[in-house]
Amino acid sequence: MSDYVEPAENLSEAWLRTLELVHARGGRRVNVLTTITDPLAPEDLAVRAAIDAVLVPGSHKSGTLHSVQTVASTIFPQDLYQDPHVAWAPALPDEQKKRLDEAADDLYAAYGDMLSLLCTANGNKLGTYFGRMVSWPGKEAGGYNQLADRVHYLRSAHAAGRRTHNLSDIAVGGEADPADEPLSALQDAGVQVYAPTDRRQRGFPCLVHIDLTLLDGRLSMLAVYRHQYLVTKAYGNLVGLARLLAFLAQQTGFDVGELAVQATMADTQQSDFRGRKGIEALLDSARSQGG
């Protein structure tokens, strides 16, 4: 049965409410929708500290653990983006538009330089999320840059005065594989994170789809996960998605709307973290420390 998590203003509270709901209903639920109404609202750093205290980097029976920051960087590598602190607009002076373009280009280039090495790391042999977004299919530099394409299209919409969503133009989705399709067929392809030929039932990629929707000048995002690991991955995923949405909004000049995550399977990972008591201890720590 589907579950709708009460929308939260910030991502820390959204993560907590999701973990609490799924834990209370047995530890695994299907089709769980989590919504953050203000993805750029400040995090509750005490909540992040509580989850990072559990995610001590290294080997664990659930696999290799990574900090929230490391997980977030798989979706948007914030450290590689030199924020120009200006948002795109049709009338923006050319010098400032150039700064925005250079910041994005430098991000893509820096990540491209790292991509081959990143793919040699444990768990990355099939590519990385951000690699698939900026160099599809994501194993080496020089592939199809879906983010650059979306930025270009959204800027065109902004310049034309479009402020309300248009499914054929603004939605970012689809499953076409640029390796098998001519570029002309890919203009509405959207942000790809997997190919339709992918037959794996679990493992990378858990994030399978990202949609962007424009309504009343606000850019919103929906991310679909086929298996959302609520302890080891979910908080970092929310941080990374919020940063990706902020980047796209800044580069296209739209306001930031809401961020939603649909988990076809949401999992509290009880068996990996001392059963129900372990999850309850994490929740108690996050709630007691959080503001």
Side-chain angles (χ1 to χ4, degrees):
M1 184 175 180
S2 300
D3 287 299
Y4 179 68
V5 180
E6 181 183 356
E9 179 179 342
N10 64 68
L11 63 89
S12 303
E13 182 63 24
W15 173 79
L16 267 173
R17 290 180 184 179
T18 303
L19 186 63
E20 286 174 335
L21 182 148
V22 177
H23 175 68
R25 298 181 183 179
R28 284 187 173 183
R29 300 291 290 180
V30 299
N31 297 329
V32 176
L33 180 64
T34 300
T35 304
I36 305 166
T37 59
D38 184 0
L40 302 191
E43 289 178 63
D44 188 325
L45 296 182
V47 173
R48 185 197 274 221
I51 184 65
D52 264 336
V54 172
L55 301 179
V56 179
S59 180
H60 186 268
K61 60 183 178 180
S62 66
T64 302
L65 297 186
H66 299 288
S67 69
V68 166
Q69 178 66 21
T70 298
V71 174
S73 293
T74 66
I75 297 174
F76 189 80
Q78 185 80 13
D79 291 345
L80 298 181
Y81 183 54
Q82 300 299 312
D83 190 342
H85 300 291
V86 61
W88 190 88
L92 194 69
D94 289 343
E95 185 275 331
Q96 293 186 355
K97 287 182 178 178
K98 181 180 177 181
R99 284 172 49 205
L100 268 172
D101 290 342
E102 288 177 344
D105 290 343
D106 288 347
L107 167 65
Y108 304 146
Y111 199 85
D113 289 342
M114 299 168 54
L115 188 52
S116 294
L117 180 60
L118 288 172
C119 288
T120 66
N122 183 34
N124 286 352
K125 67 178 182 179
L126 298 172
T128 67
Y129 289 130
F130 194 70
R132 290 183 171 206
M133 294 179 201
V134 300
S135 187
W136 178 268
K139 294 184 180 180
E140 59 185 13
Y144 172 49
N145 189 329
Q146 302 178 79
L147 291 190
D149 182 73
R150 291 300 96 182
V151 167
H152 174 76
Y153 193 89
L154 286 166
R155 284 184 181 183
S156 296
H158 194 156
R162 299 179 199 147
R163 292 175 47 83
T164 299
H165 105 186
N166 181 305
L167 287 176
S168 65
D169 294 335
I170 305 300
V172 178
E175 296 149 13
D177 186 342
D180 300 325
E181 299 284 349
L183 184 60
S184 60
L186 297 171
Q187 299 311 305
D188 288 327
V191 176
Q192 304 302 312
V193 291
Y194 78 115
T197 52
D198 184 351
R199 294 183 175 88
R200 281 166 286 118
Q201 295 182 342
R202 291 189 68 177
F204 181 87
C206 287
L207 171 60
V208 294
H209 188 72
I210 295 175
D211 259 8
L212 296 177
T213 301
L214 181 64
L215 181 63
D216 297 331
R218 295 169 62 83
L219 190 65
S220 294
M221 176 182 289
L222 169 68
V224 179
Y225 283 82
R226 57 183 175 183
H227 200 121
Q228 178 76 301
Y229 296 97
L230 293 177
V231 176
T232 57
K233 302 293 185 181
Y235 195 101
N237 289 338
L238 291 176
V239 173
L241 290 167
R243 290 173 176 175
L244 176 62
L245 178 56
F247 167 79
L248 288 168
Q250 180 189 42
Q251 286 286 327
T252 60
F254 292 112
D255 292 332
V256 172
E258 69 178 32
L259 169 62
V261 172
Q262 178 77 48
T264 58
M265 170 69 80
D267 184 354
T268 63
Q269 303 176 262
Q270 289 182 12
S271 61
D272 297 325
F273 292 93
R274 298 186 294 111
R276 290 187 61 83
K277 289 185 178 179
I279 302 304
E280 287 167 2
L282 172 58
L283 286 167
D284 288 345
S285 175
R287 277 293 181 203
S288 64
Q289 293 184 47

